[in-house]
Amino acid sequence: MSVRRLAEDQFQPAAFAFNKENAVWAEKTIQKYPDGRQQSAIIPLMMRAQEQEGWVTKAAIETIADMLDMAYIRALEVATFYTQFQLNPVGTRAHVQVCGTTPCMLRGAEGLIKVCKSRINDHAFDRNADGTLSWEEVECQGACVNAPMVVIGKDTYEDLTPARLEEIIDAFAAGKGHEIQTGPQIDRVFSAPEGGLTSLLSDEAKAKSVASKTAKATAEAVATPPSEIAPEKADAAKKPSLDDKDRPAGIERPAQPDDLQLISGVGPKIEGTLHELGIFTFAQIASWHEAERHWVDGYLNFKGRIERDEWVRQAEALAKGGEAEYIKVFGKKPR
Ligand code: FES
């Protein structure tokens, strides 16, 4: 565990006070605890102070200790023990917490850290030139199934590629972080399989599933959005026509089609759809122009994922030199 110290005096403000709204909230929060146990409110109060100021200042720690009738050293112990408390100023627009634990590391967290170093600062916790951004590496954030991921504020951004993280950082730098969709950054519903459903694929199976009380309760529990519950009808109208001029040319199925599932973002279902379109080789995908990519993206209802996952770049590498070339270009094995 790293040594955690308060920020240098030069950064410490002279005083701290909760704003009006937070002061009311703090009083109510303290009252939730039984008589004589009010000090238990220290963590929520410190978190609220951090949300208000961006980080936990010495003045905030002492003010909260006074509110809870605690010795300063006890409050300092809490602030310095829990790593979610930022003891130094962080970026005013975003502090990017990159998960570096095993599942995220295996899925490309190192690439995300490289982006943070190049876009924000070479050193974790040091801010960028205008003080708007900072970053750190953190332990597992509980979203391993959609690794790799980062946390910014209270939100997670999952299924990231370095390119997507760059876009997200740019948006926060421009003060437009609120416009970025949180959660999975690919066309996945929560932690459902990437590339679409892998079970209950037939209409008959779906009907049986819906009729089943248990399955229905489960479906409600996971609050599957409408886009997954009834996508066929809703999307049929928007789906580009198979006769559209931008549809990429298909070919006859070769004796040995390429394993399109090596492209990140292509699962068994998507590969099946690509085959139906006559797409069987990396070279075909590598040759897609923008309009063709847009057509396929619309046909798969991917909402930009083909660009985000860099299908063309992946396909180019695989077509040029298979897995070895892919590793050379992306620094990791294809999935
Ligand atoms: S390992 Fe990264 S979220 Fe769990």
Side-chain angles (χ1 to χ4, degrees):
M1 189 175 192
S2 59
V3 176
R4 287 168 47 78
R5 298 184 193 285
L6 298 188
E8 303 284 334
D9 285 350
Q10 56 176 323
F11 297 115
Q12 296 287 357
F16 166 82
F18 279 119
N19 62 31
K20 207 168 156 193
E21 184 191 338
N22 286 342
V24 172
W25 173 90
E27 277 312 313
K28 274 194 193 151
T29 300
I30 294 169
Q31 285 166 19
K32 284 183 188 168
Y33 295 86
D35 279 350
R37 302 286 178 196
Q38 276 68 28
Q39 294 178 355
S40 301
I42 188 164
I43 288 181
L45 261 61
M46 248 181 221
M47 279 310 287
R48 187 57 73 111
Q50 176 163 288
E51 284 164 23
Q52 180 181 304
E53 304 292 287
W55 59 293
V56 177
T57 64
K58 182 167 178 250
I61 294 168
E62 293 178 352
T63 301
I64 291 168
D66 287 341
M67 288 169 76
L68 299 174
D69 198 18
M70 294 171 75
Y72 289 166
I73 185 62
R74 301 294 309 279
L76 273 163
E77 284 167 358
V78 173
T80 54
F81 181 80
Y82 291 105
T83 54
Q84 76 262 41
F85 295 127
Q86 301 297 338
L87 301 179
N88 282 273
V90 294
T92 51
R93 292 191 177 150
H95 178 63
V96 183
Q97 297 179 301
V98 185
C99 173
T101 304
T102 313
C104 281
M105 192 54 81
L106 291 173
R107 296 272 294 166
E110 279 167 311
L112 304 185
I113 288 173
K114 268 190 203 158
V115 168
C116 290
K117 286 185 174 183
S118 67
R119 287 295 174 115
I120 301 175
N121 195 302
D122 215 23
H123 301 288
F125 294 106
D126 284 353
R127 290 172 290 172
N128 61 344
D130 62 4
T132 53
L133 302 169
S134 56
W135 72 278
E136 69 175 303
E137 182 179 336
V138 294
E139 299 299 329
C140 178
Q141 297 292 301
C144 332
V145 71
N146 292 357
M149 57 82 71
V150 303
V151 177
I152 301 175
K154 290 182 175 176
D155 293 312
T156 59
Y157 300 83
E158 305 154 18
D159 292 307
L160 286 171
T161 60
R164 182 60 183 151
L165 181 59
E166 283 185 8
E167 289 170 3
I168 292 171
I169 289 174
D170 287 349
F172 275 94
K176 293 182 177 169
H178 58 282
E179 292 178 9
I180 299 283
Q181 184 190 321
T182 58
Q185 301 297 303
I186 60 175
D187 192 21
R188 172 211 292 278
V189 178
F190 301 118
S191 54
E194 186 179 351
L197 297 176
T198 56
S199 56
L200 297 177
L201 292 174
S202 72
D203 288 344
E204 195 187 345
K206 277 184 201 160
K208 272 187 194 160
S209 166
V210 172
S212 152
K213 200 175 169 186
T214 309
K216 195 174 172 192
T218 306
E220 283 167 2
V222 298
T224 307
S227 62
E228 272 295 311
I229 292 169
E232 292 84 357
K233 285 194 182 64
D235 293 334
K238 286 185 262 160
K239 222 174 191 177
S241 159
L242 287 169
D243 299 325
D244 193 291
K245 65 175 176 28
D246 292 327
R247 174 184 169 182
I251 59 172
E252 288 294 318
R253 184 186 183 90
Q256 273 210 307
D258 289 335
D259 180 3
L260 300 183
Q261 289 185 49
L262 287 178
I263 295 176
S264 172
V266 178
K269 189 178 169 195
I270 298 300
E271 185 180 50
T273 306
L274 292 171
H275 286 176
E276 284 166 17
L277 294 171
I279 311 297
F280 294 97
T281 68
F282 299 133
Q284 281 178 283
I285 295 175
S287 72
W288 288 348
H289 298 300
E290 189 179 350
E292 292 169 324
R293 296 196 297 271
H294 190 71
W295 186 94
V296 179
D297 202 87
Y299 190 81
L300 298 174
N301 191 23
F302 260 18
K303 304 184 181 84
R305 179 168 150 199
I306 286 181
E307 298 297 337
R308 284 203 301 279
D309 283 357
E310 301 184 288
W311 277 25
V312 167
R313 207 164 145 242
Q314 290 189 64
E316 274 170 0
L318 289 163
K320 187 176 169 197
E323 289 200 23
E325 180 67 17
Y326 190 100
I327 293 167
K328 214 158 90 187
V329 174
F330 292 97
K332 62 175 185 179
K333 281 182 151 189
R335 56 187 294 270

